[in-house]
Amino acid sequence: MLIVRGAVKDYDWGVVDGLQPWSGQTTGGPQAELWFGVHPGGPSPLVDTGGRPTGELLADLFDIEAIPLLVKLLAAARPLSVQVHPPRQLAADGWREQQASGSAAVYSDPFEKTEMLVALEEFEAFAGWRSEVEAAAILEELGISEQILAAVRHRDRATAIRGLLDASSPDRIARLAEAAQAAGLPAEQVAAYATVADHYPVDQGALVTPLLAYLALQPGQAVYVPAGVPHSYIRGIGLEVMTSSDNVIRLGLTGKPVFVDHALLALDDQLAPQFMDTRHGDLIWPVSAPFVVRMLRSGGERIPSGAYRILLLIEGTARVSSEFGEITLTPGTAAVISAQDPDSHVEADGLVAIVQSTARQTEFVHERWDVARNEY
Ligand SMILES: [Zn+2]
């Protein structure tokens, strides 16, 4: 059993000092994400029982086979990019081709990124497809051409997305909220479109957002977003659990490069996000997800040996014990328990996220790793 802190990411969409309760740092700048895992994009530092860095990284001791999940705390002050994560085969093939050709860096690693967001505060997101009737109604108010509207109505996503990127203009973006209102959307969604227009007045990808469904999560509720499902997180603080990958292909609302062709390849029309109407204390286990999460409010839970787990303290205190001793977590620190560690026990007085890799995921990662073993 080891203790880690999160690696801070200061992306510009983050809340100023928004993760201070967990990062332990006041920087005066945006704190967007804290990463708990071994991904090279933000490897977590090990700390001692007093929370002081030991100088080592979790990645010095374990690789992705042992630590197949990446857990993040996320604080969004404004919308994140409209994005899609590549499914397994596309990520592996795309990465291989990219490394061989030395072309633009579209893929960050050879792995699928499948993720779930658990709201810690009220959280707003666009995720999955809005009904084509509603999407077309909003876009019609913006004077989008009949040809593009037909593609929207026939769920021809590729034609619709390409058409909307071309049809985008500052004037249309400025009228997004008005169009949403005219199409009969509720006030919170109209406000979300006003936020998009305020922050991205000249970003072509803003016009893709009417294609996406809107979701407001209350604390404890979650949304599972498999690879292939388009999404853009709008605002809020949440816990994110994902396979250990940073493969993000963007369509807009970003200063980073946009790769429309790759994004269209990654989109999977058959998949939808899963909304989980859970409360703190419930087991959150979406169908086919490679992980399971419990937000333990108070009380104890046995942590049996045999699977990778990370216990991240959100508030209060928690004691984690095994035959090797006992540690006390402070907010923003996490106990890392490998599949080989003995049974342990957690006793919480506050809120602790217990994240477990499921058996299926272990096989899944091994399979993927074989594809990419010599290339990562
Ligand atoms: Zn994402």
Side-chain angles (χ1 to χ4, degrees):
M1 185 159 58
L2 298 163
I3 315 173
V4 295
R5 265 203 180 280
V8 182
K9 308 295 267 185
D10 61 356
Y11 307 133
D12 55 6
W13 49 259
V15 177
V16 173
D17 289 327
L19 296 170
Q20 191 277 335
W22 304 288
S23 66
Q25 302 171 19
T26 304
T27 53
Q31 295 187 1
E33 294 181 344
L34 276 174
W35 288 27
F36 299 84
V38 296
H39 194 279
S44 301
L46 292 173
V47 295
D48 64 21
T49 47
R52 290 171 294 268
T54 66
E56 273 187 306
L57 301 172
L58 183 60
D60 295 335
L61 305 178
F62 290 104
D63 61 17
I64 189 179
E65 286 189 77
I67 315 274
L69 300 180
L70 177 58
V71 173
K72 298 178 182 176
L73 286 169
L74 177 150
R78 57 185 166 92
L80 281 67
S81 59
V82 176
Q83 56 186 250
V84 59
H85 305 303
R88 176 172 54 163
Q89 199 60 49
L90 181 64
D93 293 349
W95 169 264
R96 188 185 295 115
E97 279 167 32
Q98 173 183 298
Q99 296 312 95
S101 68
S103 59
V106 180
Y107 300 89
S108 302
D109 54 64
F111 303 120
E112 176 171 303
K113 182 163 169 336
T114 262
E115 69 191 27
M116 179 167 77
L117 188 124
V118 184
L120 295 177
E121 293 180 0
E122 198 174 305
F123 199 98
E124 290 178 273
F126 292 117
W129 303 106
R130 186 181 286 280
S131 84
E132 58 273 25
V133 174
E134 216 171 67
I138 304 169
L139 293 166
E140 203 167 1
E141 295 290 338
L142 293 175
I144 296 297
S145 75
E146 241 342 288
Q147 193 188 352
I148 299 170
L149 290 177
V152 171
R153 291 193 185 98
H154 290 104
R155 301 191 211 177
D156 175 355
R157 319 283 194 207
T159 305
I161 288 170
R162 286 188 198 282
L164 289 170
L165 291 172
D166 280 348
S168 187
S169 68
D171 170 61
R172 283 189 165 129
I173 295 170
R175 289 192 288 120
L176 261 177
E178 187 188 308
Q181 188 161 30
L185 267 57
E188 55 180 9
Q189 297 200 39
V190 173
Y193 283 110
T195 302
V196 167
D198 279 352
H199 290 289
Y200 300 97
V202 295
D203 189 312
Q204 284 178 303
L207 237 58
V208 174
T209 56
L211 297 180
L212 303 180
Y214 171 90
L215 195 60
L217 302 174
Q218 296 304 312
Q221 293 179 328
V223 61
Y224 175 59
V225 181
V229 172
H231 57 287
S232 165
Y233 297 144
I234 299 169
R235 188 181 58 83
I237 294 185
L239 172 89
E240 233 191 333
V241 178
M242 65 203 73
T243 47
S244 190
S245 169
D246 193 32
N247 268 325
V248 181
I249 308 179
R250 297 176 182 84
L251 273 168
L253 310 191
T254 183
K256 293 179 181 171
V258 165
F259 295 103
V260 178
D261 293 346
H262 289 273
L264 294 179
L265 278 177
L267 285 174
D268 186 336
D269 264 358
Q270 306 303 312
L271 290 176
Q274 285 175 52
F275 167 67
M276 311 293 291
D277 187 13
T278 43
R279 301 285 176 278
H280 289 329
D282 296 348
L283 201 61
I284 314 176
W285 198 352
V287 175
S288 84
F291 41 70
V292 54
V293 175
R294 186 196 294 282
M295 304 295 289
L296 181 66
R297 202 17 123 193
S298 57
E301 185 156 313
R302 196 174 80 89
I303 309 291
S305 180
Y308 170 65
R309 287 183 182 78
I310 182 164
L311 279 54
L312 170 57
L313 189 69
I314 307 298
E315 57 187 52
T317 60
R319 295 193 316 275
V320 188
S321 56
S322 75
E323 64 189 54
F324 293 135
E326 182 177 290
I327 58 171
T328 300
L329 295 175
T330 54
T333 62
V336 170
I337 303 174
S338 78
Q340 283 73 41
D341 278 331
D343 289 1
S344 49
H345 187 88
V346 57
E347 198 66 41
D349 183 9
L351 184 63
V352 62
I354 303 174
V355 177
Q356 183 197 325
S357 167
T358 61
R360 186 183 158 275
Q361 163 68 357
T362 310
E363 291 159 28
F364 193 47
V365 165
H366 275 280
E367 206 182 306
R368 285 190 300 174
W369 189 249
D370 287 340
V371 172
R373 183 175 291 277
N374 299 315
E375 299 165 26
Y376 189 54

